Structure formats: structure tokens, C-alpha cells
Amino acid sequence: MRLIGCGDSWCWGSELVDPIEEPIPIMKLGIDAHHLHLKPVNEAFRLKHRYLNIFADAINATEIIDLSKCAYSNDAISRTLLDWLSVEGYTSGRDTSDLFITIGWTSPERTEFYFKDSENSNRWQEFGPWALSYDFKNDKVNQLMHLYFENFYCEEEFLLRWVTTVWHTEMMLKQLNIKYVMHQAFYHHYQQMIYQWDDKKYTEKIYTTELGIKKIWESIDKIKFINKDSTEQGTMHHYILSQVNNDHKKVFEVFHPNSYGHKLWAEYMYKYCVDNNLL
């Protein structure tokens, strides 16, 4: 079985580094310390302890295709998966029976824009609440980011974009007869930090918003989306905290799950897939 992992930094395994090699948590060293993940000893630690690899071992996957990336938006997660499926020939008739896809959706507020600079360095640029104090080293990108969050950022926009992205992705996977499981990793309002995240508020918001969004959300498979309608354990974030009596330090480094948090989620996701006959 080929396991395809999709998500953001929670799937990728941010902050999972060898504690002997890096005694100070990476996030406390600043955003420029991300390169420390790439040390061979740290990369080996990350790949051993993140939930994607633990889950892969549990299902006896023959190959892991990691499509996750730090700071990805849900738009990027879906776009990257569709691109990979297309390049690999799965959208044009290739047998999909050997695939299993796991998707960890990120916070709905995140978005992305395709950017072309004067040096033709074309790329997708991720925007999110984490970027409000970040210097993109380009005045135009900085201006666009602040313009977006100050003038165009609103729940009406990002909730619809989040729900329809999940729905479109699910429709594609079902059309291609691909086995999958998905979950919400976390929610993050741009005016709040991790200790103030309120998953219950976001879940309930779906049912007080426009009727169209509500109907789309209700149509999403509640079995293949782990704990989709739960207000207590509807995210990976809240589930792993619930297993340690909400003791943040036991399952998180700073902003991302530690090795124990990843282990808890991998074991839960595996049991969930077995119990619901998803594999």
C-alpha cells in the first residue's frame, strides 16, 4: 500500500528534533531556526516520531509519499494532492487500489496567492495568522498580506473556502475510488495564540452560518472525517490534550505536538480506521 500524507507542519512534524542535539525548542529560537530540522540526526528523529510514519508502520505501508509542508493552507493541501494524483496518472485511469490517503486539514484562515516577482521567481506564497509579524523580504508581498488581513479577511469568506475545499477534495477521492481518512489538525484565529484556541467555537460556527455552507458541511462523510461534528475532540489538537487532562506540556513542544502527541494521534487514527473499516 502507498500511503500519501497531506497536511501542514503538524503532518510534516515541525519541532520534532533530537532533544540531545537541540535542548532548546526550535520555536523559541525564532522562525529562522527552521533549518535545524534538516540536520541528519534531527531529520531521522522527525521521521521516526511523527504520526505519519507511525501510522505507516501500523498499516504496513510499502511507501510513504509525503505531500505535507509547513505553513500550508487548505487550498495548498488540496492543490498539491490533485497535482500529485494527476502527475502519477491516477486522474486518467491508473488503478488506485493500492493507495491510502490521510489528510490533516489546517486552520481555515490560511490562504495562498501565486506570486511573480521581478526576477521571475514564481511561487505560491502562503499567508496565515502566523505571518502578521513576518517579513517576506519583499515589500509588495508584505503589503498584500496586510491588505488581505486588514480588509478582506472574514469568517464568511474563509469558512466557505474551508468547507468547499474539504468537499471538493472528498468528491475527487470518491470519484477516483481512493481509500482515505481525514481530520482537522487545529484551528487558529489570527487574534489568538495556541493556548486560546477554541475548537468548539469553530465547530458550532458552521451551524450558525449560511444555510449553503451548513448543507455542504453536513454532506461531508462523517465517518471518513474523524470526529467531524464533535465539539470536544473534533481536532487532533483537542484529542491529544484530552488524553493528558489538558496538560499542554505533555503533548506539545511549543506550537506543535511532541513525539508523545504524535504517538497518541497515530495510534488513535489507526484504531479509528480499523474500527470503521477504512483501510
Side-chain angles (χ1 to χ4, degrees), residues 34-252:
H34 181 79
H35 71 279
L36 297 175
H37 285 103
L38 305 181
K39 287 184 180 180
V41 63
N42 288 336
E43 184 171 22
F45 185 92
R46 177 176 65 85
L47 296 179
K48 178 180 179 181
H49 292 282
R50 66 177 179 171
Y51 77 77
L52 181 62
N53 290 63
I54 299 172
F55 181 75
D57 290 340
I59 67 173
N60 296 315
T62 56
E63 181 182 6
I64 298 175
I65 295 92
D66 181 13
L67 301 182
S68 65
K69 184 180 177 181
C70 298
Y72 254 12
S73 64
N74 290 321
D75 310 271
I77 291 170
S78 182
R79 172 180 56 79
T80 303
L81 174 58
L82 175 57
D83 181 71
W84 183 85
L85 290 170
S86 299
V87 170
E88 291 290 312
Y90 290 111
T91 59
S92 53
R94 183 176 175 181
D95 181 19
T96 61
S97 61
D98 66 334
L99 297 185
F100 189 84
I101 294 176
T102 172
I103 304 175
W105 297 110
T106 191
S107 192
E109 292 90 338
R110 294 183 180 184
T111 189
E112 63 175 356
F113 295 94
Y114 194 74
F115 171 66
K116 296 181 179 180
D117 66 17
S118 58
E119 299 177 355
N120 295 318
S121 178
N122 302 342
R123 67 182 186 276
W124 286 97
Q125 180 62 64
E126 299 85 12
F127 282 174
W130 49 267
L132 285 170
S133 60
Y134 183 68
D135 182 4
F136 289 94
K137 311 300 182 183
N138 183 290
D139 289 341
K140 291 183 178 180
V141 176
N142 288 335
Q143 290 171 8
L144 176 60
M145 190 272 293
H146 284 282
L147 181 67
Y148 172 75
F149 276 102
E150 292 170 7
N151 296 279
F152 300 102
Y153 168 91
C154 62
E155 289 182 340
E156 290 79 5
E157 187 274 334
F158 70 70
L159 284 175
L160 176 61
R161 179 162 45 82
W162 166 51
V163 172
T164 55
T165 297
V166 174
W167 183 81
H168 284 140
T169 304
E170 177 172 271
M171 291 300 101
M172 173 185 69
L173 296 177
K174 289 189 173 184
Q175 177 67 29
L176 296 175
N177 197 30
I178 296 175
K179 297 185 293 293
Y180 69 94
V181 67
M182 57 178 67
H183 67 273
Q184 189 69 31
F186 65 96
Y187 301 101
H188 178 195
H189 191 275
Y190 82 105
Q191 292 178 333
Q192 298 175 323
M193 294 307 292
I194 189 169
Y195 306 105
Q196 299 170 296
W197 289 351
D198 185 358
D199 291 355
K200 183 176 181 179
K201 180 190 73 174
Y202 277 83
T203 305
E204 292 179 340
K205 184 67 178 179
I206 290 294
Y207 292 100
T208 60
T209 189
E210 295 180 13
L211 180 61
I213 301 177
K214 177 182 176 182
K215 291 297 184 181
I216 296 171
W217 177 253
E218 289 175 344
S219 73
I220 294 170
D221 194 318
K222 65 180 180 180
I223 300 299
K224 294 184 178 181
F225 193 124
I226 299 176
N227 298 341
K228 180 171 79 80
D229 295 314
S230 172
T231 58
E232 303 300 327
Q233 296 184 2
T235 63
M236 175 182 174
H237 173 266
H238 266 36
Y239 174 78
I240 61 177
L241 279 175
S242 74
Q243 302 305 295
V244 293
N245 295 316
N246 291 315
D247 188 339
H248 186 273
K249 293 181 179 180
K250 287 185 177 181
V251 288
F252 281 86

Side-chain angles (χ1 to χ4, degrees), residues 15-25 39 41-42 45 49 253:
E15 295 192 71
L16 288 178
V17 293
D18 189 302
I20 297 176
E21 183 75 14
E22 312 295 344
I24 301 176
K39 287 184 180 180
V41 63
N42 288 336
F45 185 92
H49 292 282
E253 289 294 340

